[in-house]
Amino acid sequence: MQSIKEILKKLCEADFVGSVGSALDTAGVFLSKYCTVRRKGNNLIGEIKGNTDYTVLLDAHIDQIGMVVTAVKDGFLKVQSAGGIDSRMLAGMRVTVYGKEPIRGVFCSTPPHLGKSDSVLKIEDMYIDTGLGVKLSDVVSVGDRVVFSTEFSELAGDKVTAKSIDDRAGCVALIKCAELLSGKELPCNVVFLLSDAEEIGGMGAKTQSFDISPDLAVAVDVSFGNAPDIAADKTGTLGDGAMIGISPVLSHTVTEMLKAAAENKEIKYQLEVMGGKTSTNADKIVETRCGVLTGLLSIPIRNMHTPVEVVDVKDISSVAEILASFVLTLEVK
């Protein structure tokens, strides 16, 4: 049995953007210990059979923000973002370029002596240097994928920092939930979906939830964690447990069931109130077929959509435990 930190480290170190990377393989090794696993496109699906045909879908997206090469010019690369990237932190950032083989690179940075120190370039106006110079075009082509290259590091207490915590933290929560449910008598079928393409529109969750056709669903994603200069009412506190979503898009019934599941096991949680859509896969799942009753659990993180996202692993554990309690106490009619 591996710890949350160990699983998260391996998932965050694996890349997955477009058709590039090994995160699906890595997640599959962990998930297959507890359920039957299959692939559908770039999505990983695990299932534990229950005592009825009633099906609960638990979703977390496994794709990460990244970039795509748009030009190879004068020995340097130009890229465009695939998912929301804040260009303010790109200068000097290390990346991995997936060409004919993976190669290292860095975003170029104009020395402050030669440029305006307060100017921020758009990502499409920046360049990546691999050191290959004129040989670069032999290895990298337009359309190749680029991802951040930072190490997983432990901070004080139960906090860690890494790239791709959005939403590998959610994937770990689903894996740990599968572990908690493994070998138990379940009132329903449970399908674990590690879905693709959330960062560019949620197509993985939309297509696979249509195919799975669940009776009920819970999406798991990350949300904004407390940090300086961010309004407290727009964030969750790291270490205070899962954020249970409240939104017009979400099912009030499922939300109350998630709250009851947490309280039944005395699991810490906090509330996240949204006035409209959730900007997660929940928005896609709820529209599936004739509609699916859908809830949302989020994990608060800091520095979202950067290579140094921060999470408290206790919050990942909180999500896994709430989901397991939710499934085990479900009354299927």
Side-chain angles (χ1 to χ4, degrees), residues 30-37 45-48 178 182 190 192:
F30 291 117
L31 194 58
S32 62
K33 295 177 182 178
Y34 313 113
C35 55
T36 303
V37 172
I45 302 164
E47 185 171 5
I48 302 178
S182 178
V190 182
F192 302 89

Side-chain angles (χ1 to χ4, degrees), residues 102-119:
I103 58 174
R104 300 295 187 184
V106 294
F107 271 97
C108 298
S109 176
T110 302
H113 319 70
L114 304 177
K116 296 180 180 179
S117 59
D118 60 346
S119 62

Side-chain angles (χ1 to χ4, degrees), residues 1-254:
M1 182 183 302
Q2 289 187 289
S3 71
I4 286 176
K5 280 186 182 180
E6 290 170 331
I7 300 172
L8 184 63
K9 180 177 187 293
K10 290 185 178 180
L11 280 185
C12 288
E13 287 176 343
D15 289 322
F16 184 64
V17 58
S19 59
V20 168
S22 58
L24 276 179
D25 294 332
T26 303
V29 170
F30 291 117
L31 194 58
S32 62
K33 295 177 182 178
Y34 313 113
C35 55
T36 303
V37 172
R38 59 188 173 90
R39 291 263 194 106
K40 192 71 176 290
N42 283 336
N43 305 279
L44 187 70
I45 302 164
E47 185 171 5
I48 302 178
K49 291 288 187 180
N51 292 331
T52 66
D53 290 332
Y54 194 92
T55 298
V56 172
L57 171 65
L58 305 179
D59 165 83
H61 74 87
I62 194 168
D63 62 308
Q64 67 196 78
I65 59 170
M67 294 147 277
V68 59
V69 175
T70 58
V72 181
K73 183 178 179 182
D74 300 325
F76 296 89
L77 299 178
K78 298 195 75 172
V79 296
Q80 181 57 272
S81 62
I85 294 178
D86 188 343
S87 62
R88 291 177 301 174
M89 52 82 190
L90 289 179
M93 189 61 63
R94 291 179 296 173
V95 297
T96 299
V97 182
Y98 282 94
K100 293 180 180 177
E101 59 187 50
I103 58 174
R104 300 295 187 184
V106 294
F107 271 97
C108 298
S109 176
T110 302
H113 319 70
L114 304 177
K116 296 180 180 179
S117 59
D118 60 346
S119 62
V120 178
L121 293 175
K122 295 179 180 179
I123 187 171
E124 56 265 28
D125 296 325
M126 302 181 75
Y127 291 87
I128 292 174
D129 182 10
T130 66
L132 285 172
V134 294
K135 297 180 180 180
L136 182 60
S137 58
D138 296 334
V139 182
V140 181
S141 303
V142 169
D144 287 342
R145 299 289 181 158
V146 180
V147 296
F148 293 122
S149 179
T150 51
E151 295 180 354
F152 180 99
S153 301
E154 294 193 27
L155 303 178
D158 292 301
K159 296 179 180 64
V160 299
T161 181
K163 65 177 180 64
S164 310
I165 286 175
D166 177 7
D167 184 30
R168 304 291 160 73
C171 295
V172 175
L174 263 57
I175 291 168
K176 296 303 285 188
C177 174
E179 180 183 304
L180 292 171
L181 296 177
S182 178
K184 291 185 169 59
E185 189 170 326
L186 304 183
C188 60
N189 299 322
V190 182
V191 178
F192 302 89
L193 172 61
L194 305 188
S195 55
D196 182 30
E198 189 274 344
E199 297 293 0
I200 54 172
M203 288 78 78
K206 184 174 183 178
T207 57
Q208 298 314 303
S209 58
F210 185 93
D211 187 44
I212 295 163
S213 190
D215 296 283
L216 184 151
V218 180
V220 177
D221 210 324
V222 299
S223 191
F224 307 115
N226 61 308
D229 299 324
I230 301 178
D233 63 341
K234 298 184 182 298
T235 66
T237 301
L238 270 66
D240 276 6
M243 302 168 71
I244 298 179
I246 298 175
S247 162
V249 173
L250 302 173
S251 164
H252 176 73
T253 299
V254 177

